[in-house]
Every structure is written in C-alpha cells, then in structure tokens.
Amino acid sequence: MTDDTRIAIIVNPTLPLGLLANTAGAISIGLGARVPALAARRLTDSQGRTIDISSSLPVPILQAQAETIRSLMLKAMEQIQNRAVVPFPAFARSLHDYRDYEAAFPDRDLAEEEIDGLGLAGPSKWIKSLTGSLKLLR
C-alpha cells in the first residue's frame, strides 16, 4: 500500500446493533491482517506507556443494503492486485468455528450469498469509485 491508501467498511444497516458491530470488527481484523501497515505500529506517551495503535488511517463505516454490498464486492474483486477485499458473508454467522467456515467456503458462490459487510483498502481513487455514493452509517 502507499500514501494514497484509503479504507472503507460497508455494512448492512438493517442488521441488529450487536451483529453490525461484530461485522465491522471482524472485517477490521481482516483488513489489518491483509495490510499490516494500517496498524502495525506502537506509540509511547510522555510517561513511557506504550500502546498498539488502532489505525493509521480514518476508517469510515458506510451503509448499503446486502444486494449493493455483494455487487460492490464482485466489482472490487475484478481489480484485487495491491488491494484488500474482506467480505463478511451472512452464512458465516451460523458457523461458530473458523475451521467449519473454511471447510464450507469452497462449496459457496459469493455471487449468490448475502453479504453483511465488506472491507476495502487500496488506492484512494479505487475506493472512491466503489463507495463514493454511499452514506455514512448513522
């Protein structure tokens, strides 16, 4: 990633608050793992207390219906080089062990799945082209 990197997280605003928070949190972890430069830093205060930073960039949480999120995901996946695309398919909620999700995933078609949320990181122009018409989650 470069100095022109931007982040966006898009969630379905119809999700109950707890699921919405879980979706945004899980996507954030995925983005951080895919692009460690977003947060792999530490800062020390004047008293010597060191913390791990949360993010080196703003993280807007945008809203869109599941159908729109799926469409954005599919469009984003067309240009995946030097970009991060982290979807949260709704079926993942019914699986409480990651190994079950990993085993079920190859039998799924993301183009047919309901997508509760999507995280994107990449060039600013690319992010804006995908999310420019979306509203902030309120």
Side-chain angles (χ1 to χ4, degrees), residues 11-25 61 93 137:
V11 294
N12 183 340
T14 64
L15 291 171
L17 187 57
L19 297 182
L20 200 144
N22 174 262
T23 300
I61 308 293
R93 264 187 231 295
L137 178 66

mmCIF file with all atom_site columns, all heavy atoms in Angstrom, residues 11-25 61 93 137:
data_model
loop_
_atom_site.group_PDB
_atom_site.id
_atom_site.type_symbol
_atom_site.label_atom_id
_atom_site.label_alt_id
_atom_site.label_comp_id
_atom_site.label_asym_id
_atom_site.label_entity_id
_atom_site.label_seq_id
_atom_site.pdbx_PDB_ins_code
_atom_site.Cartn_x
_atom_site.Cartn_y
_atom_site.Cartn_z
_atom_site.occupancy
_atom_site.B_iso_or_equiv
_atom_site.pdbx_formal_charge
_atom_site.auth_seq_id
_atom_site.auth_comp_id
_atom_site.auth_asym_id
_atom_site.auth_atom_id
_atom_site.pdbx_PDB_model_num
ATOM 1   N N   . VAL A 1 11  ? -21.415 -1.778  5.742  1.00 0.00 ? 11  VAL A N   1
ATOM 2   C CA  . VAL A 1 11  ? -22.239 -2.745  6.460  1.00 0.00 ? 11  VAL A CA  1
ATOM 3   C C   . VAL A 1 11  ? -23.709 -2.542  6.108  1.00 0.00 ? 11  VAL A C   1
ATOM 4   O O   . VAL A 1 11  ? -24.122 -1.459  5.693  1.00 0.00 ? 11  VAL A O   1
ATOM 5   C CB  . VAL A 1 11  ? -22.044 -2.637  7.992  1.00 0.00 ? 11  VAL A CB  1
ATOM 6   C CG1 . VAL A 1 11  ? -20.631 -3.039  8.387  1.00 0.00 ? 11  VAL A CG1 1
ATOM 7   C CG2 . VAL A 1 11  ? -22.366 -1.249  8.496  1.00 0.00 ? 11  VAL A CG2 1
ATOM 8   N N   . ASN A 1 12  ? -24.473 -3.593  6.321  1.00 0.00 ? 12  ASN A N   1
ATOM 9   C CA  . ASN A 1 12  ? -25.912 -3.561  6.097  1.00 0.00 ? 12  ASN A CA  1
ATOM 10  C C   . ASN A 1 12  ? -26.561 -2.916  7.326  1.00 0.00 ? 12  ASN A C   1
ATOM 11  O O   . ASN A 1 12  ? -26.518 -3.476  8.414  1.00 0.00 ? 12  ASN A O   1
ATOM 12  C CB  . ASN A 1 12  ? -26.432 -4.978  5.887  1.00 0.00 ? 12  ASN A CB  1
ATOM 13  C CG  . ASN A 1 12  ? -27.899 -5.017  5.574  1.00 0.00 ? 12  ASN A CG  1
ATOM 14  O OD1 . ASN A 1 12  ? -28.634 -4.077  5.850  1.00 0.00 ? 12  ASN A OD1 1
ATOM 15  N ND2 . ASN A 1 12  ? -28.346 -6.122  4.996  1.00 0.00 ? 12  ASN A ND2 1
ATOM 16  N N   . PRO A 1 13  ? -27.177 -1.740  7.183  1.00 0.00 ? 13  PRO A N   1
ATOM 17  C CA  . PRO A 1 13  ? -27.722 -1.038  8.345  1.00 0.00 ? 13  PRO A CA  1
ATOM 18  C C   . PRO A 1 13  ? -28.944 -1.713  8.970  1.00 0.00 ? 13  PRO A C   1
ATOM 19  O O   . PRO A 1 13  ? -29.350 -1.332  10.065 1.00 0.00 ? 13  PRO A O   1
ATOM 20  C CB  . PRO A 1 13  ? -28.097 0.333   7.786  1.00 0.00 ? 13  PRO A CB  1
ATOM 21  C CG  . PRO A 1 13  ? -28.397 0.065   6.351  1.00 0.00 ? 13  PRO A CG  1
ATOM 22  C CD  . PRO A 1 13  ? -27.433 -1.024  5.944  1.00 0.00 ? 13  PRO A CD  1
ATOM 23  N N   . THR A 1 14  ? -29.491 -2.728  8.315  1.00 0.00 ? 14  THR A N   1
ATOM 24  C CA  . THR A 1 14  ? -30.652 -3.425  8.874  1.00 0.00 ? 14  THR A CA  1
ATOM 25  C C   . THR A 1 14  ? -30.252 -4.499  9.878  1.00 0.00 ? 14  THR A C   1
ATOM 26  O O   . THR A 1 14  ? -31.118 -5.058  10.550 1.00 0.00 ? 14  THR A O   1
ATOM 27  C CB  . THR A 1 14  ? -31.521 -4.058  7.768  1.00 0.00 ? 14  THR A CB  1
ATOM 28  O OG1 . THR A 1 14  ? -30.763 -5.072  7.104  1.00 0.00 ? 14  THR A OG1 1
ATOM 29  C CG2 . THR A 1 14  ? -31.971 -3.007  6.759  1.00 0.00 ? 14  THR A CG2 1
ATOM 30  N N   . LEU A 1 15  ? -28.966 -4.770  10.008 1.00 0.00 ? 15  LEU A N   1
ATOM 31  C CA  . LEU A 1 15  ? -28.503 -5.743  10.998 1.00 0.00 ? 15  LEU A CA  1
ATOM 32  C C   . LEU A 1 15  ? -28.760 -5.217  12.411 1.00 0.00 ? 15  LEU A C   1
ATOM 33  O O   . LEU A 1 15  ? -28.625 -4.008  12.657 1.00 0.00 ? 15  LEU A O   1
ATOM 34  C CB  . LEU A 1 15  ? -27.001 -6.005  10.850 1.00 0.00 ? 15  LEU A CB  1
ATOM 35  C CG  . LEU A 1 15  ? -26.526 -6.742  9.612  1.00 0.00 ? 15  LEU A CG  1
ATOM 36  C CD1 . LEU A 1 15  ? -24.994 -6.714  9.546  1.00 0.00 ? 15  LEU A CD1 1
ATOM 37  C CD2 . LEU A 1 15  ? -27.036 -8.166  9.612  1.00 0.00 ? 15  LEU A CD2 1
ATOM 38  N N   . PRO A 1 16  ? -29.098 -6.099  13.353 1.00 0.00 ? 16  PRO A N   1
ATOM 39  C CA  . PRO A 1 16  ? -29.186 -5.667  14.746 1.00 0.00 ? 16  PRO A CA  1
ATOM 40  C C   . PRO A 1 16  ? -27.835 -5.089  15.187 1.00 0.00 ? 16  PRO A C   1
ATOM 41  O O   . PRO A 1 16  ? -26.780 -5.501  14.681 1.00 0.00 ? 16  PRO A O   1
ATOM 42  C CB  . PRO A 1 16  ? -29.506 -6.951  15.504 1.00 0.00 ? 16  PRO A CB  1
ATOM 43  C CG  . PRO A 1 16  ? -30.079 -7.872  14.482 1.00 0.00 ? 16  PRO A CG  1
ATOM 44  C CD  . PRO A 1 16  ? -29.420 -7.516  13.182 1.00 0.00 ? 16  PRO A CD  1
ATOM 45  N N   . LEU A 1 17  ? -27.856 -4.161  16.114 1.00 0.00 ? 17  LEU A N   1
ATOM 46  C CA  . LEU A 1 17  ? -26.660 -3.436  16.532 1.00 0.00 ? 17  LEU A CA  1
ATOM 47  C C   . LEU A 1 17  ? -25.491 -4.360  16.890 1.00 0.00 ? 17  LEU A C   1
ATOM 48  O O   . LEU A 1 17  ? -24.357 -4.127  16.472 1.00 0.00 ? 17  LEU A O   1
ATOM 49  C CB  . LEU A 1 17  ? -26.980 -2.513  17.707 1.00 0.00 ? 17  LEU A CB  1
ATOM 50  C CG  . LEU A 1 17  ? -25.870 -1.570  18.146 1.00 0.00 ? 17  LEU A CG  1
ATOM 51  C CD1 . LEU A 1 17  ? -25.403 -0.690  17.000 1.00 0.00 ? 17  LEU A CD1 1
ATOM 52  C CD2 . LEU A 1 17  ? -26.349 -0.726  19.311 1.00 0.00 ? 17  LEU A CD2 1
ATOM 53  N N   . GLY A 1 18  ? -25.740 -5.417  17.641 1.00 0.00 ? 18  GLY A N   1
ATOM 54  C CA  . GLY A 1 18  ? -24.656 -6.334  18.023 1.00 0.00 ? 18  GLY A CA  1
ATOM 55  C C   . GLY A 1 18  ? -24.020 -7.016  16.822 1.00 0.00 ? 18  GLY A C   1
ATOM 56  O O   . GLY A 1 18  ? -22.795 -7.151  16.744 1.00 0.00 ? 18  GLY A O   1
ATOM 57  N N   . LEU A 1 19  ? -24.838 -7.455  15.857 1.00 0.00 ? 19  LEU A N   1
ATOM 58  C CA  . LEU A 1 19  ? -24.308 -8.094  14.653 1.00 0.00 ? 19  LEU A CA  1
ATOM 59  C C   . LEU A 1 19  ? -23.580 -7.087  13.774 1.00 0.00 ? 19  LEU A C   1
ATOM 60  O O   . LEU A 1 19  ? -22.568 -7.406  13.155 1.00 0.00 ? 19  LEU A O   1
ATOM 61  C CB  . LEU A 1 19  ? -25.432 -8.774  13.863 1.00 0.00 ? 19  LEU A CB  1
ATOM 62  C CG  . LEU A 1 19  ? -26.149 -9.924  14.568 1.00 0.00 ? 19  LEU A CG  1
ATOM 63  C CD1 . LEU A 1 19  ? -27.204 -10.535 13.654 1.00 0.00 ? 19  LEU A CD1 1
ATOM 64  C CD2 . LEU A 1 19  ? -25.173 -10.980 15.052 1.00 0.00 ? 19  LEU A CD2 1
ATOM 65  N N   . LEU A 1 20  ? -24.090 -5.863  13.739 1.00 0.00 ? 20  LEU A N   1
ATOM 66  C CA  . LEU A 1 20  ? -23.441 -4.813  12.968 1.00 0.00 ? 20  LEU A CA  1
ATOM 67  C C   . LEU A 1 20  ? -22.038 -4.540  13.526 1.00 0.00 ? 20  LEU A C   1
ATOM 68  O O   . LEU A 1 20  ? -21.065 -4.467  12.776 1.00 0.00 ? 20  LEU A O   1
ATOM 69  C CB  . LEU A 1 20  ? -24.305 -3.552  13.034 1.00 0.00 ? 20  LEU A CB  1
ATOM 70  C CG  . LEU A 1 20  ? -24.041 -2.542  11.955 1.00 0.00 ? 20  LEU A CG  1
ATOM 71  C CD1 . LEU A 1 20  ? -25.360 -1.893  11.557 1.00 0.00 ? 20  LEU A CD1 1
ATOM 72  C CD2 . LEU A 1 20  ? -23.084 -1.511  12.429 1.00 0.00 ? 20  LEU A CD2 1
ATOM 73  N N   . ALA A 1 21  ? -21.942 -4.419  14.849 1.00 0.00 ? 21  ALA A N   1
ATOM 74  C CA  . ALA A 1 21  ? -20.644 -4.189  15.488 1.00 0.00 ? 21  ALA A CA  1
ATOM 75  C C   . ALA A 1 21  ? -19.704 -5.367  15.253 1.00 0.00 ? 21  ALA A C   1
ATOM 76  O O   . ALA A 1 21  ? -18.519 -5.179  14.965 1.00 0.00 ? 21  ALA A O   1
ATOM 77  C CB  . ALA A 1 21  ? -20.831 -3.938  16.983 1.00 0.00 ? 21  ALA A CB  1
ATOM 78  N N   . ASN A 1 22  ? -20.222 -6.587  15.373 1.00 0.00 ? 22  ASN A N   1
ATOM 79  C CA  . ASN A 1 22  ? -19.410 -7.783  15.134 1.00 0.00 ? 22  ASN A CA  1
ATOM 80  C C   . ASN A 1 22  ? -18.902 -7.821  13.695 1.00 0.00 ? 22  ASN A C   1
ATOM 81  O O   . ASN A 1 22  ? -17.741 -8.150  13.448 1.00 0.00 ? 22  ASN A O   1
ATOM 82  C CB  . ASN A 1 22  ? -20.227 -9.033  15.451 1.00 0.00 ? 22  ASN A CB  1
ATOM 83  C CG  . ASN A 1 22  ? -19.490 -10.304 15.096 1.00 0.00 ? 22  ASN A CG  1
ATOM 84  O OD1 . ASN A 1 22  ? -19.726 -10.872 14.030 1.00 0.00 ? 22  ASN A OD1 1
ATOM 85  N ND2 . ASN A 1 22  ? -18.608 -10.740 15.969 1.00 0.00 ? 22  ASN A ND2 1
ATOM 86  N N   . THR A 1 23  ? -19.763 -7.478  12.754 1.00 0.00 ? 23  THR A N   1
ATOM 87  C CA  . THR A 1 23  ? -19.381 -7.476  11.340 1.00 0.00 ? 23  THR A CA  1
ATOM 88  C C   . THR A 1 23  ? -18.253 -6.483  11.092 1.00 0.00 ? 23  THR A C   1
ATOM 89  O O   . THR A 1 23  ? -17.240 -6.817  10.470 1.00 0.00 ? 23  THR A O   1
ATOM 90  C CB  . THR A 1 23  ? -20.602 -7.150  10.457 1.00 0.00 ? 23  THR A CB  1
ATOM 91  O OG1 . THR A 1 23  ? -21.603 -8.149  10.671 1.00 0.00 ? 23  THR A OG1 1
ATOM 92  C CG2 . THR A 1 23  ? -20.236 -7.102  8.985  1.00 0.00 ? 23  THR A CG2 1
ATOM 93  N N   . ALA A 1 24  ? -18.417 -5.253  11.581 1.00 0.00 ? 24  ALA A N   1
ATOM 94  C CA  . ALA A 1 24  ? -17.385 -4.227  11.391 1.00 0.00 ? 24  ALA A CA  1
ATOM 95  C C   . ALA A 1 24  ? -16.077 -4.637  12.070 1.00 0.00 ? 24  ALA A C   1
ATOM 96  O O   . ALA A 1 24  ? -14.988 -4.449  11.515 1.00 0.00 ? 24  ALA A O   1
ATOM 97  C CB  . ALA A 1 24  ? -17.872 -2.883  11.917 1.00 0.00 ? 24  ALA A CB  1
ATOM 98  N N   . GLY A 1 25  ? -16.175 -5.213  13.267 1.00 0.00 ? 25  GLY A N   1
ATOM 99  C CA  . GLY A 1 25  ? -14.977 -5.644  13.980 1.00 0.00 ? 25  GLY A CA  1
ATOM 100 C C   . GLY A 1 25  ? -14.231 -6.761  13.259 1.00 0.00 ? 25  GLY A C   1
ATOM 101 O O   . GLY A 1 25  ? -13.011 -6.713  13.112 1.00 0.00 ? 25  GLY A O   1
ATOM 102 N N   . ILE A 1 61  ? -17.262 4.028   8.303  1.00 0.00 ? 61  ILE A N   1
ATOM 103 C CA  . ILE A 1 61  ? -18.208 2.922   8.255  1.00 0.00 ? 61  ILE A CA  1
ATOM 104 C C   . ILE A 1 61  ? -19.402 3.427   7.448  1.00 0.00 ? 61  ILE A C   1
ATOM 105 O O   . ILE A 1 61  ? -20.114 4.345   7.868  1.00 0.00 ? 61  ILE A O   1
ATOM 106 C CB  . ILE A 1 61  ? -18.667 2.478   9.663  1.00 0.00 ? 61  ILE A CB  1
ATOM 107 C CG1 . ILE A 1 61  ? -17.465 2.192   10.576 1.00 0.00 ? 61  ILE A CG1 1
ATOM 108 C CG2 . ILE A 1 61  ? -19.599 1.270   9.558  1.00 0.00 ? 61  ILE A CG2 1
ATOM 109 C CD1 . ILE A 1 61  ? -16.624 1.007   10.184 1.00 0.00 ? 61  ILE A CD1 1
ATOM 110 N N   . ARG A 1 93  ? -22.127 -16.460 10.054 1.00 0.00 ? 93  ARG A N   1
ATOM 111 C CA  . ARG A 1 93  ? -22.687 -16.327 11.399 1.00 0.00 ? 93  ARG A CA  1
ATOM 112 C C   . ARG A 1 93  ? -23.180 -17.632 11.989 1.00 0.00 ? 93  ARG A C   1
ATOM 113 O O   . ARG A 1 93  ? -23.199 -17.811 13.190 1.00 0.00 ? 93  ARG A O   1
ATOM 114 C CB  . ARG A 1 93  ? -23.851 -15.346 11.369 1.00 0.00 ? 93  ARG A CB  1
ATOM 115 C CG  . ARG A 1 93  ? -23.402 -14.007 11.754 1.00 0.00 ? 93  ARG A CG  1
ATOM 116 C CD  . ARG A 1 93  ? -24.540 -13.063 11.903 1.00 0.00 ? 93  ARG A CD  1
ATOM 117 N NE  . ARG A 1 93  ? -24.242 -11.885 11.140 1.00 0.00 ? 93  ARG A NE  1
ATOM 118 C CZ  . ARG A 1 93  ? -23.250 -11.069 11.410 1.00 0.00 ? 93  ARG A CZ  1
ATOM 119 N NH1 . ARG A 1 93  ? -22.457 -11.293 12.426 1.00 0.00 ? 93  ARG A NH1 1
ATOM 120 N NH2 . ARG A 1 93  ? -23.031 -10.020 10.673 1.00 0.00 ? 93  ARG A NH2 1
ATOM 121 N N   . LEU A 1 137 ? -22.738 5.384   8.002  1.00 0.00 ? 137 LEU A N   1
ATOM 122 C CA  . LEU A 1 137 ? -23.675 4.709   8.890  1.00 0.00 ? 137 LEU A CA  1
ATOM 123 C C   . LEU A 1 137 ? -24.010 5.666   10.035 1.00 0.00 ? 137 LEU A C   1
ATOM 124 O O   . LEU A 1 137 ? -23.134 6.239   10.643 1.00 0.00 ? 137 LEU A O   1
ATOM 125 C CB  . LEU A 1 137 ? -23.034 3.432   9.443  1.00 0.00 ? 137 LEU A CB  1
ATOM 126 C CG  . LEU A 1 137 ? -23.887 2.628   10.425 1.00 0.00 ? 137 LEU A CG  1
ATOM 127 C CD1 . LEU A 1 137 ? -25.103 2.055   9.699  1.00 0.00 ? 137 LEU A CD1 1
ATOM 128 C CD2 . LEU A 1 137 ? -23.054 1.535   11.052 1.00 0.00 ? 137 LEU A CD2 1
#
